[in-house]
Amino acid sequence: MEMEESLKPLSMESREHKGALPTKAIKVKTVNRETIIIQLTMLVLIAATIYGFLTFDYKDVVIGEAILKSLESMKTVLLEPHLQHVGFGEAIYQVFVTMGLGFLTTLFGAVIALFLGLLAARNLSTQLASTLIRGVVAFIRAVPTVLWVLIFSVAAGLGSVAAVIGMTFHSVGYLIKAYSEAFEELDEGVIEALRASGANWWQIVFQAVLPSCATYLISWTFLRFEINFSVAVAMGAAAGAGGIGYDMFMASGFYYDMREVGAITYFILAIAILLEMFALRIKRNMKTH
């Protein structure tokens, strides 16, 4: 009897415990110093932007009319494309000139970046070489492509030569970072196994590193090719490199022909879509093989 009475409170407590609602852990979002600094910075930037719009000297420009005129210009560019000062065949030729600029800069940049990317990868090179190359590459990427082109135009003059050198310089900095990070994703056990079997550095690169990272290398290279194609369009106007960018500059800044700007824009858009389809096809074929 005493044992039964002693067990009753326990059973009642266990039933009450089972019937109790489960408690949920409440996550409290802590506010640290970094979060406060970011929020204050965003508020200052928003306030400065609003103040700038309110105090900007618009001269005789009426904002409402300017917006309507801009929308009318966009309608002309997108819905009324027409070639007038440049023929269809000439436009196709200039597009291929621009593609040639992008292809050359990508090819030169990929070849140089492939070797330097191997030296920049921490699992394939020394700490000193990796740190040195990464520091130089970070400086190269910090400078815009247009500025590199203008720097080299001092020696080579404005034109396609300065554009190719400047774009290649920036492409090397971009691809070294992309390639080296792809190389560092390789399983360290594979490299150690090849080293233990007596393989030298070149054998490790050609037997393990490049075959394993081929898909990533092609993806990054095609991405940079698309970027270089877009940059080559801008360099055609800014640096006198020729191509379809120069024709767009003449149509917009000299002839003030928005319809021709629209036609050239559609040419560039079509080439960009074809490049993307070609890149996807190559990556799909590599995965199947």
Side-chain angles (χ1 to χ4, degrees):
M1 290 293 292
E2 293 180 357
M3 292 183 64
E4 290 180 358
E5 291 177 357
S6 62
L7 290 173
K8 283 182 181 180
L10 293 175
S11 61
M12 293 177 63
E13 289 178 2
S14 62
R15 287 175 186 176
E16 290 176 359
H17 181 69
K18 290 181 180 179
L21 294 175
T23 57
K24 294 182 179 180
I26 301 175
K27 295 182 178 179
V28 180
K29 188 176 180 181
T30 59
V31 179
N32 51 22
R33 183 179 178 183
E34 289 77 9
T35 304
I36 295 175
I37 293 175
I38 292 174
Q39 292 177 352
L40 289 177
T41 304
M42 293 299 298
L43 290 175
V44 170
L45 291 176
I46 293 172
T49 303
I50 295 173
Y51 177 78
F53 276 108
L54 293 176
T55 59
F56 188 77
D57 187 7
Y58 294 97
K59 300 294 184 181
D60 297 329
V61 177
V62 180
I63 300 299
E65 294 181 2
I67 293 174
L68 291 177
K69 291 293 182 182
S70 299
L71 293 176
E72 290 178 4
S73 298
M74 291 298 298
K75 176 185 175 183
T76 303
V77 169
L78 298 177
L79 302 180
E80 302 176 11
H82 178 71
L83 292 174
Q84 183 175 355
H85 302 90
V86 180
F88 183 82
E90 179 68 17
I92 294 293
Y93 172 75
Q94 295 299 335
V95 167
F96 278 102
V97 170
T98 304
M99 285 187 62
L101 290 174
F103 178 77
L104 281 177
T105 54
T106 306
L107 179 62
F108 296 156
V111 171
I112 299 172
L114 182 60
F115 179 71
L116 294 179
L118 292 170
L119 296 178
R122 295 186 179 92
N123 57 345
L124 298 172
S125 181
T126 62
Q127 184 67 28
L128 177 61
S130 177
T131 304
L132 182 62
I133 294 174
R134 286 173 179 270
V136 174
V137 165
F139 171 73
I140 293 174
R141 290 198 312 271
V143 179
T145 307
V146 178
L147 187 55
W148 283 120
V149 173
L150 295 178
I151 290 172
F152 287 108
S153 66
V154 175
L158 288 175
S160 58
V161 176
V164 169
I165 297 174
M167 292 168 61
T168 301
F169 213 68
H170 200 274
S171 298
V172 168
Y174 180 92
L175 291 176
I176 286 176
K177 179 177 175 58
Y179 289 172
S180 62
E181 290 181 354
F183 297 149
E184 289 176 353
E185 293 295 326
L186 185 64
D187 187 7
E188 189 67 27
V190 177
I191 299 177
E192 293 297 331
L194 288 173
R195 287 174 179 168
S197 63
N200 57 29
W201 190 80
W202 290 107
Q203 290 173 336
I204 293 173
V205 168
F206 285 105
Q207 294 180 11
V209 177
L210 295 183
S212 301
C213 302
T215 305
Y216 295 100
L217 299 181
I218 291 177
S219 300
W220 283 112
T221 304
F222 263 95
L223 177 61
R224 186 63 206 188
F225 178 46
E226 294 175 3
I227 295 173
N228 284 341
F229 175 74
S230 303
V231 174
V233 174
M235 292 303 100
I244 198 66
Y246 180 76
D247 292 329
M248 178 176 283
F249 168 73
M250 294 296 293
S252 61
F254 189 77
Y255 300 118
Y256 300 104
D257 191 348
M258 293 293 103
R259 300 174 66 190
E260 189 164 83
V261 172
I264 294 174
T265 302
Y266 281 119
F267 271 103
I268 297 172
L269 179 62
I271 295 299
I273 293 174
L274 290 176
L275 290 177
E276 183 65 23
M277 292 173 60
F278 185 65
L280 291 175
R281 183 180 291 265
I282 289 180
K283 287 190 291 185
R284 193 180 298 115
N285 292 335
M286 290 192 65
K287 289 180 179 180
T288 55
H289 293 293

